[in-house]
Amino acid sequence: MSSNDTQGLTIEQLGIRIANTVERWMPSPFLFAILLTYIVFFAALLLGELGIIEQAEGGTAGPLGLIEHWFDGFWDFLAFAMQMTVILMTGFALAYHPKANAILVRLAHIPSTPPQAVVLVAVFSMAIAWIHWGFSLILGAIFAREMGKVAHKKGIDVHYPLLAVSGYMGLGLTWHWGLSGSGPLLLTDSGSVGDGTVFDMLPNDGIPITETIAHGYGITLTILSIIFASLVLYAITPSGKQARDITEYIPESELFSQEADGGEEDGREESKAKTPAERIDNSLILGGIIGITGFTYVFYMLITDGLGAWDLNVVNFGFLMAGLLIWTNPSAYREKFGEAATAAAGIILLFPFFAGIQGIMSGSGLATYIAEVLIDASTAETFPVIAWLVAAITNAFIPSGGGQWLVLGPPLMEAAEGLGVEFGHAAMAYAVGDAHTNLVNPFWAIPLLAITRIKAREMFGYAIVMLIALTPFLAVMLYLLPYEALALF
């Protein structure tokens, strides 16, 4: 056995052991939300009894007061939960259009070696995630599967579990730095940051994406991270006997049966419906006109108001209209949204609990206390690294970037204010920590596991390798990369 084979086997065995342990002991994300509620409740109760933190003015002291804060906060972020749901569902609907699949098949024929196949899937996933995380979540998984199929046909010995990791890299690295990143986009509306002292610090019109997503700092960090991650993936790609073909996970007869049947239907045959009601439901004209109208208006807002118009509502409206424009058939588009509803169930259930946790933290004074601890532990130079680490650790409990923002946003922004760190700089550092540790959190990988037919323990070994490799790189980038010097606007 060669040294390369030994290295690949060691990485794989270590990864499988870690992933098996996680799979056996890690509770569901919903249970984590419940556990975190208890942790925050008792932490606030203890610190309050010790006099370290103070209840909000006019609030009830003791356990009853904390329960009141929990209840008051529980439904504060219904609009935000709906925004996150729509992001996921519009991405799902776009990714499953047959034309999108046809493009992926053509791209899958480009690579001629295993490392090229792995890197192409990863670069595609990371680039698309910067545009729309919901789109990348589904499309990255589909591309990994299609690449595995094409590689099997061409006789390329590509390791299918690593292809799955590549398809997940968008959610594991770049999504929160991009156009649908929940934390930076919530800053565009100062009323969405959450209750607490940070609310009064932000300008009335919030922080535009020119100071976060479209800032040279975020763009530079994204490009450099994609390059570095691609180099690591290229280096660790096994080949030969170490590579496991897609047919070890999905039967060959099942893989290629869709091609024999003509592929997935796009629902346009429903336009032949006989009744007037069915003709209206499947009207290509009605769907196309409203899609063009909505999509055109998004361009109009961006032309007249510039990038300052880009917020979560514009993101969702634009992709909702784009989906209708691509599908054209309203009935087929509605059916795809029905299929996406299952994937959005976690957001709908978990976000009220995250909002309740944020209510306890703000009302009890715990958020302010955390901000003070961060300030004491940081300098203006080290704060981005500290914010990254705090977000990374919290991601183990709150697997949603938006949900994390409800809890961490106010204290992080308050700490940034105290240290003289730009709000946009702090938000992007937080976003890096949240996205990076998705590589060890199976919550968002559930759709990918279903599409690729990979088990968590079979892919998360390599995901952990990527996490470890990226950690020193991101730490150095966050410490050394200048924010103000990279401003574009």
Side-chain angles (χ1 to χ4, degrees):
M1 182 179 294
S2 67
S3 60
N4 288 337
D5 288 343
T6 303
Q7 183 182 17
L9 185 61
T10 302
I11 291 173
E12 187 171 356
Q13 286 180 337
L14 176 62
I16 288 176
R17 288 180 183 178
I18 295 173
N20 275 336
T21 302
V22 171
E23 190 174 16
R24 182 176 181 182
W25 291 100
M26 186 176 183
S28 71
F30 181 43
L31 185 56
F32 263 135
I34 294 174
L35 291 174
L36 187 60
T37 301
Y38 284 116
I39 291 171
V40 171
F41 178 88
F42 286 112
L45 183 63
L46 176 62
L47 294 175
E49 291 293 332
L50 294 175
I52 297 175
I53 61 175
E54 296 181 1
Q55 293 273 347
E57 186 176 350
T60 304
L64 180 59
L66 294 177
I67 293 174
E68 287 180 356
H69 294 315
W70 180 59
F71 175 80
D72 291 341
F74 212 78
W75 305 113
D76 278 351
F77 295 97
L78 285 179
F80 176 50
M82 185 62 178
Q83 288 170 326
M84 291 296 99
T85 300
V86 173
I87 280 183
L88 178 59
M89 295 177 74
T90 53
F92 186 102
L94 285 166
Y96 269 109
H97 193 281
K99 289 184 178 178
N101 190 77
I103 293 173
L104 296 182
V105 172
R106 288 196 291 271
L107 288 175
H109 281 85
I110 295 175
S112 58
T113 66
Q116 290 176 7
V118 168
V119 170
L120 180 59
V121 172
V123 170
F124 177 86
S125 173
M126 290 185 283
I128 294 297
W130 191 89
I131 298 171
H132 188 295
W133 67 260
F135 197 22
S136 174
L137 178 64
I138 307 302
L139 209 57
I142 295 174
F143 192 25
R145 178 167 168 152
E146 291 299 333
M147 183 66 78
K149 289 170 60 177
V150 172
H152 174 78
K153 283 184 175 181
K154 296 172 66 174
I156 300 174
D157 296 326
V158 64
H159 192 53
Y160 188 57
L162 189 55
L163 278 180
V165 173
S166 295
Y168 190 57
M169 284 303 301
L171 267 291
L173 192 59
T174 58
W175 82 269
H176 213 156
W177 318 344
L179 297 176
S180 62
S182 49
L185 288 181
L186 279 173
L187 274 180
T188 62
D189 178 6
S190 59
S192 298
V193 180
D195 296 330
T197 55
V198 70
F199 180 82
D200 297 325
M201 297 179 185
L202 298 179
N204 292 331
D205 55 353
I207 305 297
I209 67 166
T210 52
E211 297 184 29
T212 54
I213 297 165
H215 193 280
Y217 178 85
I219 294 173
T220 302
L221 187 61
T222 300
I223 294 172
L224 292 177
S225 297
I226 290 175
I227 293 172
F228 182 81
S230 299
L231 291 174
V232 175
L233 285 166
Y234 193 95
I236 67 173
T237 301
S239 59
K241 294 181 180 179
Q242 291 296 323
R244 296 180 181 176
D245 190 74
I246 187 174
T247 54
E248 295 187 33
Y249 304 89
I250 308 175
E252 188 170 358
S253 58
E254 180 181 341
L255 273 175
F256 302 103
S257 62
Q258 288 185 351
E259 296 180 5
D261 295 336
E264 185 179 353
E265 299 295 332
D266 67 358
R268 290 178 182 263
E269 71 280 3
E270 295 181 12
S271 62
K272 301 178 182 179
K274 296 180 180 180
T275 67
E278 290 174 331
R279 289 193 181 98
I280 293 174
D281 280 346
N282 294 278
S283 172
L284 306 184
I285 295 177
L286 291 178
I289 290 176
I290 197 168
I292 292 173
T293 302
F295 205 64
T296 301
Y297 186 66
V298 171
F299 277 103
Y300 170 78
M301 286 191 291
L302 293 175
I303 291 173
T304 56
D305 299 332
L307 290 176
W310 193 262
D311 58 19
L312 275 171
N313 289 330
V314 173
V315 169
N316 278 332
F317 185 80
F319 280 99
L320 188 66
M321 292 298 112
L324 185 58
L325 186 60
I326 291 172
W327 279 94
T328 308
N329 185 329
S331 182
Y333 194 39
R334 183 198 64 227
E335 289 177 4
K336 281 300 170 187
F337 259 71
E339 294 177 21
T342 301
I347 293 176
I348 297 170
L349 176 62
L350 290 173
F351 267 63
F353 283 88
F354 297 150
I357 291 168
Q358 199 273 337
I360 295 174
M361 293 183 66
S362 296
S364 68
L366 183 58
T368 300
Y369 175 71
I370 293 174
E372 293 172 352
V373 172
L374 286 173
I375 292 173
D376 291 339
S378 310
T379 64
E381 291 75 21
T382 61
F383 179 78
V385 178
I386 298 296
W388 161 59
L389 292 174
V390 170
I393 294 170
T394 307
N395 193 41
F397 298 94
I398 305 177
S400 162
Q404 274 192 64
W405 183 256
L406 304 186
V407 178
L408 288 180
L412 280 176
M413 294 299 102
E414 188 172 345
E417 173 75 6
L419 291 167
V421 177
E422 296 286 344
F423 286 136
H425 193 182
M428 294 308 287
Y430 149 81
V432 172
D434 166 67
H436 175 217
T437 44
N438 277 345
L439 287 169
V440 290
N441 197 324
F443 177 68
W444 290 113
I446 292 173
L448 178 137
L449 297 175
I451 293 169
T452 60
R453 300 286 187 87
I454 287 284
K455 295 179 181 179
R457 64 182 179 86
E458 293 168 336
M459 67 165 276
F460 270 89
Y462 280 99
I464 291 171
V465 171
M466 291 303 299
L467 175 82
I468 295 171
L470 284 164
T471 296
F473 168 79
L474 292 174
V476 171
M477 288 295 100
L478 289 170
Y479 184 75
L480 296 179
L481 203 62
Y483 178 80
E484 295 181 358
L486 293 170
L488 298 176
F489 301 93

